[in-house]
Amino acid sequence: RDFTERCVQCSEVNWGLTDGGRFYCRTCHNVTERTREVVNTDFIPNTRVQTISKGLRNQEKTGIGCEWYVCEGFQFVLKKQAEALEALGVCPQMKNEVLYNFWRRYLQKSKQAYCNRPAGETVQALSACNSSTDVDSEADRPSFLHCLSLSESEGDLETDCSFASSASKISESASVCSGSVDGNLYLMKNQKEKLRMTMPMTLSFCYMALLWLREPVTLSDLLRFVVEGHIPYFNVFRHFPEKMKLCGLDLKIFCVESWPVYEEVHNKMLELAAFLDLPRFPDVTDSCFLHPDMLCMKYLMEANLPDELHNWTCRVVRKIGIGEADFLTLVPGNKSTRNVKYDVLAAALIVVVLKLLFLLDDHYEWLLSDFAEERNKNNKEGSPYFEFKKWYKVIKHSLDVEQKKLDEERAKYLWRCEKPLFYSANVKSKVLKRRQMVVNLQNQFGKLSGSVRPAEKPNPSSFLLSWSEENTDGSCFHGHSLKGILQEKRGLLAAMNPDYWLGTIKLCNEKLCGHPAHYREVDFPQSYHFVLRLFSFLLRMNPSYIHDEVCVIEHKLFYKKLCKKPKPNIRIRK
């Protein structure tokens, strides 16, 4: 009512107020640069407080978008990943309860929210930004923490006011280097003691939540779902809200141009659990999917091996005591216990059992295969005898085909996002033109070459290789018998093979060497390497990690014999 100037477009006096405090004409909807003067006498009499919304005006002019922090970006990534896992069938508690509490505890422990930020970091933020511009009021600072909350029922994160006000002092020249408020400071400051957040750590958070709920998803499954595109990870920032502009140093934080590494994600998960001071995780019992007995059954089916081998893996588990809850359950920060990689442990158990029964020395397994082949010629009834040679040919053909397909998919993968990104506002127009040129060239060459559009992603599955007993070509070995290689001793079935060779005589110190054993393909039989290659493909990891676990199991299994002098029937292979 106090603003009586006429509108420059329609000459009417009919003004309203926008959310930013500026006047607009209700007749022609023209927005002026004038802002409302707010008179407030509730606090100090005879004083006038005037607030000018510079932040919103600058955002609308330059298109920079709202202010946001790096932790808000990672929170959005975690939210998208949790929703994708829920779509895959994971328990809804993972997002709203478990993962949200882990993330909230991390923000508190790293002093990014739910705490009072030390004064030293405020000074560092100011000096790093070299700012000397006007300060926007705290009320004008937009926050995405509420709309991006992992739990829909929770409110805003209680970020520290001193840090928010100091971060808002960042000059416009500094904002060109980063779309986020604290992107440049995030990469500059030393946060070794605070476990600085990275993109691989988002997967560590997800796996930690899955492990807490004892969901039937191993770490290798999680990483495979990421690579196949079922879980947002690569170019996930394209799903950011439009107001969260990404440029400059933000690209180094949120852009990923490498495949996730099993060891890195697993080690970060252990560091996170210790950093958050989490209690002992729920027990992994024999009814849990992560128990070796359960996982061995899964990998035996996927590797197309006889079902009878499962009895042998269970015997090894009981023999060396790795099926107990105290051994399998994660206790954060407990350095006295060895951290279990459930999928690697199950694969290594199967390899040890195959060595016990077939030796895998490039000689004995072929002799047993010839013997089984002769028996099958005369065996017209009952289950056929398992032939290692035939199994080898079937698996090798399928493995070569799938490995070639995987290599081609990785070679053709486009790391660059379809949404153009730029490191500074000065080169934005050049990047957009270049991107449009690339798209036009791709479309033209596609029409000339007659290339077919890629098919839609297949539905995710826990099995990479599937075998059906209904096949008439005899390519499924699940129901095959091991009678040809077993003999009864003292009422129990035992292997006819009396020998065994060890992967290493002495285990190395993992803290010093990084591996309990060392693996080179030329030092081991080809049959052994083929089995390792099969499980390394299923788990998408280097064969050396499976070999390490095999050596650890062997030393537990033959501990008493290793303490004594080696006997002739225990051959040692360096």
Side-chain angles (χ1 to χ4, degrees), residues 30-73:
N30 175 41
V31 182
T32 68
E33 294 296 327
R34 292 290 300 273
T35 57
R36 181 186 180 187
E37 293 184 354
V38 181
V39 179
N40 193 333
T41 58
D42 293 340
F43 303 98
I44 305 175
N46 301 325
T47 59
R48 174 176 293 182
V49 180
Q50 182 176 1
T51 301
I52 300 178
S53 181
K54 288 185 177 180
L56 292 175
R57 180 164 68 248
N58 291 337
Q59 290 163 11
E60 291 180 9
K61 282 185 177 181
T62 62
I64 293 178
C66 292
E67 293 179 355
W68 61 280
Y69 295 84
V70 172
C71 65
E72 294 175 294

Side-chain angles (χ1 to χ4, degrees), residues 88-149:
L88 294 177
V90 172
C91 177
Q93 294 178 351
M94 175 193 167
K95 171 190 169 186
N96 297 331
E97 297 180 15
V98 180
L99 185 59
Y100 174 74
N101 289 329
F102 286 165
W103 176 242
R104 180 171 179 170
R105 191 173 181 87
Y106 170 79
L107 292 177
Q108 184 179 22
K109 285 281 187 179
S110 58
K111 298 183 180 179
Q112 298 182 61
Y114 305 106
C115 66
N116 293 322
R117 179 172 293 271
E121 294 198 12
T122 304
V123 176
Q124 184 181 359
L126 293 175
S127 61
C129 299
N130 297 323
S131 61
S132 58
T133 57
D134 297 335
V135 182
D136 294 344
S137 65
E138 180 65 20
D140 293 329
R141 184 179 68 85
S143 175
F144 283 92
L145 289 170
H146 175 63
C147 62
L148 301 183
S149 178

